[in-house]
Amino acid sequence: MDVGEPDVILVVDDDVDIARFIKVNLDLEGFEVLLAHDGETALDMIARRQPALAVVDWMMPQLDGLELTRRLRADPMTAPMPIILLTARGQTADKVIGLQAGADDYLVKPFDTMELIARVRSTLRRNQENREVSPLTGLPGNSRILREITDRARTGIDFAVSHVDIDRFKPVNDVYGFARGDEFITSLARALHRAVVEVGLPPAFLGHIGGDDFLVVCAPEQLKDLTTKAILEFQNAADALYDPIDAERGYIEVVQRNGEVQQANLVTLSIGVAIGTPSMGGPLSDPRDVISVATEMKSVAKKHHGNYVAVDRRGVVGL
């Protein structure tokens, strides 16, 4: 969906007056609203439009809201779509049944219009946040990273952006397989998280770009402690993930396609850092530029042996 395009909400209710009432109120809030008065029509609309969220009445003839919810959850194409179940059933047992069928939220008739709008917005927000989270590490992804850097720049307070990457990660995957490789990635996530927590206030931010690449945003004065703690923590965790013989000799053997055996040193971290200086009218105001410079510095760090932090010092005073 393009930026600025309204979210599409599907309202499914066999009561025409209630459906129109909901549509009018959602229209006023800037949503694009589709109406369906039975479950089968709703399925057809969803297949054609893929709405951002569905408000579904429980009590409908033939295909009721509960069964419609189950069908949507059973289809991989529609399973991620959030659903708010709308019903006159207010008993706790009924709520449990609706949630077990796959509903994300539950609203009892008669409902307050402001509550409906609030639940629609909060459900959309939760769904958006969940989609941006890395399934492997549970950390926020690229969209959230961009927003974080944008917000930091707007405050006018200087900040540091670190692009963290595992050196020689491919040989680990080649020798040990992807499952072991994922353990190295999650170990780095935990090491960075602990470092972020331990540096204290102001709160630092940790995101997962993808694969073995992470991004940390912090105050410039936190940078040294944070990167030092993360490197030490990850190094200890990574050493324990190798087979004992490889850990003892300090390298792993990688068999090439031609049968040649090559030695790959154990993993280390390369960290590239860009400093955003809005307090001094610094050049790095666009979050994409900041990330680009941090990535450039990560490439510089990779040219050095062992764990290395490369900081871009252009335009930075006193760092």
Side-chain angles (χ1 to χ4, degrees):
M1 183 175 293
D2 295 333
V3 175
E5 187 177 343
D7 287 319
V8 177
I9 309 295
L10 174 63
V11 177
V12 189
D13 198 319
D14 62 324
D15 188 317
V16 175
D17 291 334
I18 290 179
R20 286 177 178 169
F21 174 76
I22 296 174
K23 173 177 167 55
V24 168
N25 283 279
L26 290 175
D27 282 340
L28 290 172
E29 294 295 320
F31 296 107
E32 179 184 349
V33 184
L34 307 176
L35 293 182
H37 300 301
D38 61 80
E40 293 295 344
T41 302
L43 287 173
D44 182 61
M45 284 185 169
I46 291 168
R48 288 186 284 109
R49 291 297 306 273
Q50 294 185 337
L53 178 145
V55 179
V56 179
D57 184 38
W58 184 326
M59 302 299 292
M60 293 186 295
Q62 298 177 351
L63 184 62
D64 66 15
L66 204 63
E67 182 58 30
L68 174 61
T69 299
R70 291 193 181 106
R71 289 196 188 184
L72 292 172
R73 290 292 179 254
D75 185 341
M77 295 299 294
T78 57
M81 184 182 69
I83 299 169
I84 297 177
L85 203 57
L86 190 64
T87 181
R89 296 171 177 262
Q91 298 297 319
T92 300
D94 294 321
K95 295 179 181 180
V96 171
I97 292 171
L99 295 172
Q100 287 179 338
D104 295 89
D105 205 348
Y106 194 103
L107 195 58
V108 178
K109 297 178 182 179
F111 56 85
D112 181 83
T113 303
M114 292 181 64
E115 183 180 5
L116 171 66
I117 300 301
R119 287 180 182 269
V120 166
R121 291 197 180 281
S122 64
T123 303
L124 285 171
R125 184 175 62 253
R126 287 197 307 271
N127 187 61
Q128 177 67 24
E129 290 172 350
N130 288 339
R131 285 186 308 191
E132 293 178 355
V133 167
S134 162
L136 177 60
T137 62
L139 295 172
N142 294 329
S143 297
R144 179 66 182 84
I145 289 170
L146 286 171
R147 288 203 305 273
E148 179 68 24
I149 298 175
T150 300
D151 292 343
R152 298 257 179 165
R154 286 173 178 167
T155 66
I157 300 173
D158 295 349
F159 58 94
V161 175
S162 301
H163 188 162
V164 184
D165 175 74
I166 302 177
D167 302 315
R168 295 173 298 280
F169 179 65
K170 186 178 182 300
V172 168
N173 269 339
D174 291 343
V175 173
Y176 293 134
F178 291 107
R180 184 89 65 95
D182 284 349
E183 291 185 49
F184 278 80
I185 293 173
T186 55
S187 291
L188 177 55
R190 286 193 294 269
L192 289 168
H193 181 262
R194 290 194 185 100
V196 162
V197 171
E198 288 180 15
V199 295
L201 298 176
F205 170 85
L206 171 61
H208 188 185
I209 299 172
D212 61 319
D213 289 88
F214 293 80
L215 190 139
V216 181
V217 186
C218 66
E221 61 269 19
Q222 295 173 315
L223 183 63
K224 183 176 180 180
D225 282 347
L226 195 154
T227 53
T228 300
K229 291 176 186 295
I231 288 171
L232 291 175
E233 185 87 25
F234 174 69
Q235 207 63 73
N236 291 332
D239 289 346
L241 290 173
Y242 283 101
D243 287 349
I245 187 173
D246 295 332
E248 183 177 351
R249 66 190 177 189
Y251 63 87
I252 57 177
E253 294 184 339
V254 185
V255 181
Q256 304 298 311
R257 290 183 179 179
N258 59 7
E260 180 184 351
V261 177
Q262 292 186 345
Q263 296 178 359
N265 290 333
L266 304 187
V267 297
T268 52
L269 293 182
S270 286
I271 303 176
V273 182
I275 306 296
T277 55
S279 67
M280 298 185 296
L284 297 181
S285 57
D286 189 307
R288 292 174 177 81
D289 292 339
V290 180
I291 295 173
S292 177
V293 171
T295 301
E296 176 188 341
M297 297 312 298
K298 183 201 71 174
S299 298
V300 172
K302 279 189 170 294
K303 297 177 182 178
H304 294 77
H305 179 72
N307 297 295
Y308 197 88
V309 181
V311 181
D312 175 57
R313 299 178 183 274
R314 291 168 288 186
V316 180
V317 178
L319 183 66

